[in-house]
Amino acid sequence: MSTPSAQPAIAAEGLARRFGAVEAVRDVSMSVARGEIFGLVGPDGAGKTTVMRMLAGVLRPDAGTIALDGIDVVGAPERAKAVLSYMPQRFGLYEDLRVDENIFFYGELFEVPRAQFRQRSTELLEAAGLAPFRRRLAGQLSGGMKQKLGLVCALIHTPRVLLLDEPTTGVDPVSRRDFWAILYRLREQGVTIVMSTAYMDEAERCSRLALLHEGQVRRCDTPQRLKDIVRGSLLSVAGGDPRSNGAALADAPGVAGVLLMGDRVHVRVDEAARRKDELAARLDERGLAHAPVVPVEPGIEDVFVALVGATV
Ligand SMILES: Nc1ncnc2c1ncn2[C@@H]1O[C@H](COP(=O)(O)OP(=O)(O)OP(=O)(O)O)[C@@H](O)[C@H]1O
Ligand SMILES: [Mg+2]
């Protein structure tokens, strides 16, 4: 018999779910330790929301099991709801209610005792930078503020497990920093967090990541170890026209893949040190403008492309 602290906060085994002909999730397993910030990363339609909804007990899997703090989510979703909080991708705020009224509504829904409610809502509004806007109608908040209000509402009842589906999409960088400060504080308090994100800088802050593609977990590890998969094999070419440069390098000897990254191209090669000058020479031969070709530290997006050939 394992001790309660050794037990993972979330243990999912063999999750599967289809919608008609679409196999949204296939054989997904994951084990998340208490106090982790676990990231689900993958392109649109990869199955992130479907996994989240199953973990939250709002969507029944076709197959598989989920134990959340030892509770059988599939068999007893109502019991699981007492210990978790789920912030859906489109969180249900009441636009014609004020900020504080929305929080009050969720406090009532989760039966938070009054004294605790007052203290917690004050703390959370402060942390989210929403205190000055508490009397504003939710419908009149900016997109980023709405997301933060969603998080405040999701946290009003001190969950042990927090499930956040793309909580910062559309949120400005300053607000995202506030958001992360809240998440780190929760982690210190032992809250386990699973979040999906489309932002790679955010993925890097997670303790571990599951790379999801076409409904399957392709890799699950720390951001550092995931990046080791492509370390030493990545070159960056800035300057000139990235698209033309990428096209010119795609079929060069030793090149395994090319990824456009805004104003530059990342080129995956067999050996960065050896191919660096060759690639520069090839661009020069074709009269293509470019900055020096330099080795670069991989990001999660590079890992994703190397593993499945898809961009996140
Ligand atoms: N209720 C539903 N009915 C039919 N198909 C669905 C439903 N929910 C999801 N799907 C399909 O399942 C697949 C996975 O969708 P899901 O929403 O889980 O992806 P996602 O990774 O969250 O994508 P996004 O990044 O766009 O939010 C998609 O092909 C989607 O169209
Ligand atoms: Mg989604």
Side-chain angles (χ1 to χ4, degrees), residues 101-308:
E101 290 169 336
N102 266 283
I103 302 170
F104 186 76
F105 172 84
Y106 281 95
E108 291 284 295
L109 187 69
F110 291 119
E111 296 169 6
V112 181
R114 282 298 156 91
Q116 193 186 325
F117 173 83
R118 266 196 299 275
Q119 191 199 343
R120 204 157 165 77
S121 63
T122 307
E123 271 174 21
L124 286 166
L125 277 168
E126 243 359 281
L130 286 175
F133 309 104
R134 55 177 8 123
R135 308 229 174 272
R136 193 176 285 187
L137 290 181
Q140 291 171 1
L141 295 174
S142 72
M145 287 173 170
K146 278 186 192 163
Q147 290 292 104
K148 288 199 289 184
L149 178 55
L151 185 65
V152 170
C153 292
L155 292 177
I156 200 67
H157 79 305
T158 327
R160 290 209 288 266
V161 173
L162 182 58
L163 305 170
L164 305 170
D165 195 357
E166 296 202 32
T168 60
T169 297
V171 176
D172 71 81
V174 174
S175 296
R176 279 166 66 197
R177 213 179 48 205
D178 294 344
F179 213 92
W180 272 90
I182 297 175
L183 296 189
Y184 284 137
R185 236 185 43 199
L186 289 169
R187 184 181 58 178
E188 277 164 24
Q189 293 161 7
V191 176
T192 306
I193 301 168
V194 178
M195 70 182 302
S196 64
T197 181
Y199 294 115
M200 291 309 109
D201 60 323
E202 213 158 73
E204 308 244 356
R205 292 169 177 240
C206 293
S207 54
R208 280 189 307 141
L209 297 172
L211 303 186
L212 207 60
H213 184 245
E214 293 178 351
Q216 287 180 298
V217 176
R218 293 304 168 98
R219 247 348 136 93
C220 179
D221 215 327
T222 64
Q224 198 59 38
R225 280 204 289 267
L226 287 170
K227 287 188 284 184
D228 284 344
I229 297 170
V230 284
R231 184 156 283 125
S233 66
L234 212 63
L235 291 167
S236 171
V237 190
D241 173 31
R243 202 166 287 276
S244 314
N245 288 346
L249 298 177
D251 59 351
V255 170
V258 166
L259 175 63
L260 285 173
M261 304 281 273
D263 62 348
R264 63 195 61 226
V265 192
H266 278 186
V267 187
R268 198 156 40 81
V269 293
D270 48 2
E271 220 184 308
R274 178 170 155 224
R275 301 291 181 187
K276 190 161 96 38
D277 298 335
E278 282 178 28
L279 296 191
R282 187 179 177 104
L283 293 173
D284 292 337
E285 273 165 28
R286 303 192 178 187
L288 291 165
H290 66 92
V293 178
V294 291
V296 67
E297 278 293 292
I300 297 300
E301 190 147 11
D302 297 301
V303 179
F304 219 99
V305 176
L307 289 176
V308 296

Side-chain angles (χ1 to χ4, degrees), residues 17-20 22-25 41-53 59 89-90 165-166 196 198 212 215:
R17 173 72 203 211
R18 55 164 62 243
F19 297 104
V22 179
E23 278 191 278
V25 168
V41 179
D44 291 351
K48 303 180 294 295
T49 296
T50 307
V51 170
M52 287 282 187
R53 294 179 66 208
L59 179 72
Q89 198 162 357
R90 275 170 269 296
D165 195 357
E166 296 202 32
S196 64
L212 207 60

Side-chain angles (χ1 to χ4, degrees), residues 1-123:
M1 185 74 194
S2 59
T3 59
S5 61
Q7 182 188 47
I10 303 170
E13 287 286 339
L15 292 180
R17 173 72 203 211
R18 55 164 62 243
F19 297 104
V22 179
E23 278 191 278
V25 168
R26 291 183 274 171
D27 194 22
V28 164
S29 299
M30 59 173 72
S31 173
V32 182
R34 203 166 307 281
E36 262 200 283
I37 301 182
F38 186 92
L40 280 181
V41 179
D44 291 351
K48 303 180 294 295
T49 296
T50 307
V51 170
M52 287 282 187
R53 294 179 66 208
M54 291 191 285
L55 295 178
V58 299
L59 179 72
R60 209 183 153 77
D62 296 331
T65 59
I66 304 164
L68 196 139
D69 244 359
I71 299 166
D72 170 10
V73 176
V74 181
E78 290 307 320
R79 278 185 63 211
K81 278 175 197 157
V83 299
L84 68 81
S85 193
Y86 167 49
M87 183 177 163
Q89 198 162 357
R90 275 170 269 296
F91 190 77
L93 289 174
Y94 292 88
E95 304 243 324
D96 51 352
L97 291 183
R98 295 191 318 242
V99 165
D100 51 5
E101 290 169 336
N102 266 283
I103 302 170
F104 186 76
F105 172 84
Y106 281 95
E108 291 284 295
L109 187 69
F110 291 119
E111 296 169 6
V112 181
R114 282 298 156 91
Q116 193 186 325
F117 173 83
R118 266 196 299 275
Q119 191 199 343
R120 204 157 165 77
S121 63
T122 307
E123 271 174 21

